[in-house]
Amino acid sequence: MKTLWHENIVVAQELVHSIRKMRGWKGYFIIKVDLSKAYDHMKWSFVHHILQEFGLPNVLTNLIMSCLSTVVTNVKWNGQRSSMFPPKCGLCQGDSLSPYIFVLYVDKLSHLISKAVEDGVWKPVKMGRNGSLISHLMFADDLILCGQANLEQMEVVKDILYNFCDMSGQMVSAEKTRIYFSKNVNSQTRRDLVSRSGFFEVSMLGSYLGIPLLGKSPRQRDFQHLLNKVEDKLTAWKAKQLSLVGRIILAKFLIQAIPVHSMISPYIPASVLKKIEKAERSFVWGDQQSKREFHAVGWQTLMKPKDEGGLAMRNLQSMNLACLMKISLWKAIVALWPYLVDGEYWAVGKSDSVSVWYDRWISADIIKLSNVMQVIPDHVANYKVNDMVKQDGQWDFELLSLLIPQDIIKCIKAIIPPRDNADDDRRLWTGNKLGEYFVASGYNQVNGFQNLSQSHIWNKIWKIKAPERIKVFIWQVTHERLLTNSCIAHRGNGQASCHHCVILEENILHVLRDCPLANLVWLHLLDQSNVANFFYPDLMEWIDMNLSRDLNATSKDDWQSVWAQGCYFLWYWRNQQVHNSSFVRPFRLWESILQNCRNYKILMVHMDSSQVVSKKQIMIKWMPPDQRWYKLNSDGLKVGDSGGTGYGGLIRDENGRWVVGFVRNLGIASAYVAKSWGVLEGVTLARQRGIDFLEINVDSKVVADGLKGDKQGCLEGWTIVGAIRKDG
């Protein structure tokens, strides 16, 4: 059975589950084979035979064998290196060619097993009453063999393994190879098979491709290895020596990546994922074993997207669901079905099975009509989409206008009416433009992030031209989560007054703007015409004003960068004065801020210049088609984000003479759909005029790739592309 690695895991999980629950008089075994030093024992003569058997050209086969056999190496013995000598077998670890050779090499074992199954010698496991027959699972050197639990079958397995090892030079490690029996295999048979095979019997096979093979509901102890990995990582990092930004990056891209591989098949217990998230929280905020630090922003907020005020930290339980939606065990489908239904979208073809009201079919962005309609008349409640089409094959807009709002009818205009000769309706995923499921889009679906309205203030923060630590600081300021004296006093510790002003309360606005120490800095950075407006607003208005306007005294500096770095260093200098009695603020603070901004700008210019890709200018002009051919030039246009769309085009002959032209208003659709409609209209007109040889020119590579079949293209244009292929 040829499968992807994650499909291999699912099959292995189901296999163990089936064997564990098996009843009846036929018992089965599963053997998890361990090949001892698989790369080192490969015979070169066998590799040569496999390459020839695979049908590679002799020149390529000889080149590969030359790469293998001309290697020299040495060994270190008692502190001294030996002279160089050529090895006689094996593949080089880390060589880019080695994995491919090894796959061809081990595939020979798969052929031997398949041949034994075809000859009726090997009795595989049947997955359910009408299920597939499974004799082995193989992914590189991770091997699982299964068959009937009797001495005859064990001899067959041992003979095939022996023959393969004899040909290839491989060695099966009997000490590490494990055998697992179904519960209907009696004790005497188990002892006989273990004795004959030399393998160790186990009650659990351990991991396969890094995933525990349980065959039962997972427990926390089954995933203790994940907790151990997280603990090992955190122990190796010294949190107090890392900045907040450094800890966020490590937690986000390293700690949260640890359990993702294990999420592809089983439900990981919530207790395990919560412990990992707790360890992340403690690390991000710098907690020590004996001391809990100030957690400035709640974890639920941190898990929101960055444009919604979070840091896009993953919700691990939602991530587990999103991974299971990619490819899951049958028992998980019931729990995941509501998310799958909410994320599906129907590309209409014949539309004899898609409901007008209860399925999403108009657009991936438009929910089901049943959710927007107050009342659905009884006589049309069971209508399918093809019931909205007239006898001439066009939409029945007179009927639609009586039932559906006009703004939605404008979207329906961009959809090809269902036809009897069209393809079947196709279920697609709304999370991306290709209509395919990706874990990232599934994660957004589970958390409801796809329907969130973006907040402009957060987008402006992450677009500041400043180091990441400064963006994160402004993010904290916007959440009003700085440990000022006012905040500390509110928590029951200390006084709320400013260390410098003494009598005034030190809140965020005071320390960053209104304190005389801050006031002096801003007066030197601001344009004088903006001074009065700068010191007037409350905190949120002040932040938004500085992110939106240019208040700079100099034209060569970006104000958002100057303001953000000014806030950061004012807070930094304040903390140094409070906690370090020997600290002295720099002279002419504003010059230090401007110099930091300019240094960062120079660094970014240098980095951008090193990544510049040279552009090649190509002059484009209309070229006549070949003799007896015609050329279609078409295009589509969308006006604004919510405006209408249209398309047009013309057909000319080999001499450039105009044959026919067209222009249409399409309603509301994407630019991709409009461009696709332009091609369809042109192809239809060409067919009506008896034009058999038509060259199509369109300025969208996505549309062109979709027409050629190289790529699928946008999900909303799937039926249009299909109609073009049929008409063309």
Side-chain angles (χ1 to χ4, degrees), residues 42-44 86-90:
M42 292 180 65
K43 286 183 180 178
W44 290 344
K88 299 298 183 182
C89 63

Side-chain angles (χ1 to χ4, degrees), residues 561-716:
S561 176
V562 171
W563 171 77
Q565 298 224 30
C567 291
Y568 175 83
F569 282 106
L570 286 169
W571 179 249
Y572 172 77
W573 291 326
R574 175 264 185 196
N575 289 336
Q576 289 294 316
Q577 281 191 316
V578 171
H579 302 292
N580 184 359
S581 58
S582 61
F583 175 78
V584 178
R585 288 196 178 210
F587 182 66
R588 300 177 70 86
L589 305 172
W590 50 92
E591 292 184 355
S592 297
I593 293 170
L594 290 175
Q595 189 59 48
N596 273 285
C597 292
R598 289 163 188 170
N599 289 342
Y600 180 78
K601 184 177 181 180
I602 292 171
L603 177 62
M604 290 297 102
V605 169
H606 177 72
M607 291 180 64
D608 291 342
S609 63
S610 65
Q611 299 175 3
V612 171
V613 179
S614 59
K615 295 182 179 180
K616 184 179 180 181
Q617 189 174 16
I618 301 175
M619 301 303 294
I620 299 175
K621 65 177 182 178
W622 189 86
M623 299 293 293
D626 294 336
Q627 189 175 5
R628 297 179 59 204
W629 279 73
Y630 293 80
K631 177 171 283 191
L632 164 66
N633 292 91
S634 67
D635 199 2
L637 176 68
K638 179 179 181 180
V639 181
D641 292 334
S642 59
T645 54
Y647 62 88
L650 73 160
I651 299 176
R652 288 179 279 192
D653 64 14
E654 59 192 271
N655 298 313
R657 289 192 295 265
W658 183 86
V659 176
V660 65
F662 57 91
V663 62
R664 301 282 188 275
N665 175 28
L666 190 58
I668 298 177
S670 65
Y672 173 84
V673 170
K675 293 176 185 293
S676 300
W677 263 106
V679 176
L680 177 61
E681 183 82 6
V683 170
T684 303
L685 290 174
R687 179 66 68 192
Q688 291 173 356
R689 283 162 175 74
I691 296 174
D692 295 325
F693 303 100
L694 182 68
E695 180 182 328
I696 300 173
N697 280 186
V698 61
D699 67 349
S700 171
K701 188 176 186 302
V702 180
V703 174
D705 288 343
L707 293 175
K708 291 186 294 184
D710 295 341
K711 295 180 181 177
Q712 180 174 317
C714 178
L715 66 91
E716 293 184 343

